[in-house]
């Protein structure tokens, strides 16, 4: 007699997983109808390539809207798990240390509703036991650099452009088209560097070269249209900021961290070199 495998702490059978995949694929089709006209291209590639965040977020939103009244068998199974107290959450992280992915986590299940955004020939939706998916939040700046270097085809440098911001955002990178960005690696690594009392940022910077003066100059030009901000316009020695922030225990100050993030968000996303 055939016995179906149980998957994850949700204790769902393989046939039940297929029901969920089918219903999430239906939601994905609805999401595509809205997203395709808005995002037909990404870096010269046709939708859905590169749009994992937009797709995941839209399907997650549709799922939340549908669950209260749904009669679809797969969505009812998700609803049952939530009723049991199993959490459903969005997660950004590394998939097999090959690329970054925006997924959902339901208990011990990895749910990818944008599975075709790197390879369009793959199924739109994939569900795996989380332990087998090799997916999780980033655990170090070094891991971020490893994945981004190959996946985004970029080169990394120390953020010596904005020394007061470097303890929070220690990285700058440049892509093959000569575009430079500050290396914001998400809240996971921001929390990591604060928990490490900024030693994680200091450590990774010691492994990277400084950016060329031409790169620094282009970023500094962008400051002309931005009101004075200590994180961006102050230009003391970078080690002084690390020392000051550690001595004042600013790694415990969430308000100070938010000010740093606000400074980052006031900068242009991209500077052309």
């Amino acid at each position: 007699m055939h016995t179906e495998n149980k998957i994850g702490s949700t204790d769902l059978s393989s046939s039940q997983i297929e029901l969920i995949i089918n219903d999430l694929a239906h939601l994905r089709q609805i999401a595509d109808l809205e997203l395709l006209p808005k995002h037909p291209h990404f870096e010269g590639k046709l939708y859905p390539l590169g749009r994992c965040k937009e797709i995941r977020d839209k399907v997650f939103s549709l799922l939340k809207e549908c669950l209260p009244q749904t009669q679809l068998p797969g969505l009812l199974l998700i609803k049952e798990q939530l009723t049991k107290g199993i959490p459903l959450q969005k997660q950004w992280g590394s998939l097999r240390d090959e690329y970054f992915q925006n997924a959902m986590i339901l208990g011990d299940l990895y749910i990818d509703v944008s599975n075709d955004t790197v390879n369009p020939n793959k199924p739109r939706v994939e569900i795996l036991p989380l332990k087998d998916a090799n997916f999780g939040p980033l655990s170090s700046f070094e891991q971020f650099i490893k994945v981004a270097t190959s996946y985004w085809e970029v080169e990394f440098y120390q953020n010596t452009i904005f020394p007061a911001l470097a303890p929070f955002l220690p990285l700058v990178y440049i892509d093959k088209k000569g575009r430079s960005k500050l290396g914001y690696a998400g809240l996971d690594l921001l929390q990591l560097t604060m928990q490490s009392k900024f030693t994680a940022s200091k450590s990774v910077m010691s492994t990277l070269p400084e950016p060329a003066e031409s790169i620094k100059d282009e970023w500094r030009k962008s400051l002309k249209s931005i009101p004075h901000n200590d994180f961006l316009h102050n230009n003391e020695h970078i080690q002084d900021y690390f020392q000051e922030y550690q001595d004042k225990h600013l790694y415990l100050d969430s308000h100070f961290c938010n000010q740093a993030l606000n400074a980052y968000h006031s900068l242009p996303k991209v500077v052309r070199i």
Side-chain angles (χ1 to χ4, degrees), residues 247-263:
D247 290 346
K248 293 182 178 179
H249 305 294
L250 293 175
Y251 46 82
L252 300 173
D253 190 335
S254 59
H255 177 66
F256 189 69
C257 175
N258 288 334
Q259 288 180 314
L261 277 181
N262 288 338

Side-chain angles (χ1 to χ4, degrees), residues 153-178:
E153 298 184 284
V154 296
E155 294 181 356
F156 279 89
Y157 301 88
Q158 301 177 39
N159 176 17
T160 52
I161 303 167
F162 305 110
L165 203 55
F168 293 96
L169 301 169
L171 308 175
V172 175
Y173 61 86
I174 302 174
D175 68 15
K176 295 172 69 175
K177 296 182 179 180

Side-chain angles (χ1 to χ4, degrees), residues 53-153:
K53 184 179 189 303
E54 292 86 353
I55 292 171
R56 190 278 314 274
D57 287 351
K58 184 59 184 179
V59 173
F60 189 87
S61 176
L62 289 170
L63 178 60
K64 290 290 190 180
E65 292 173 14
C66 290
L67 282 178
Q69 305 298 328
T70 189
Q71 295 302 313
L72 295 174
L75 300 192
L76 284 172
L77 288 167
I78 293 177
K79 187 175 181 180
E80 287 176 12
Q81 301 307 312
L82 298 178
T83 302
K84 294 176 184 177
I86 293 176
L88 174 68
Q89 60 192 24
K90 297 189 286 187
Q91 178 69 58
W92 179 77
S94 166
L95 184 62
R96 299 186 296 274
D97 274 358
E98 294 176 6
Y99 48 86
F100 301 120
Q101 185 62 297
N102 288 275
M104 305 180 203
I105 306 297
L106 177 65
D108 284 350
L109 292 181
Y110 165 81
I111 301 178
D112 185 358
V113 295
S114 52
N115 189 49
D116 57 341
T117 54
V118 174
N119 180 350
N121 296 317
K122 288 186 174 182
R124 291 176 176 175
V125 179
E126 179 180 56
I127 298 179
L128 295 171
L130 188 56
K131 62 182 176 61
D132 296 336
N134 199 5
F135 171 83
L138 294 167
S139 59
S140 69
F141 285 110
E142 287 78 8
Q143 183 188 21
F144 174 70
I145 291 172
K146 175 185 176 182
V147 179
T149 297
S150 60
Y151 181 40
W152 292 342
E153 298 184 284

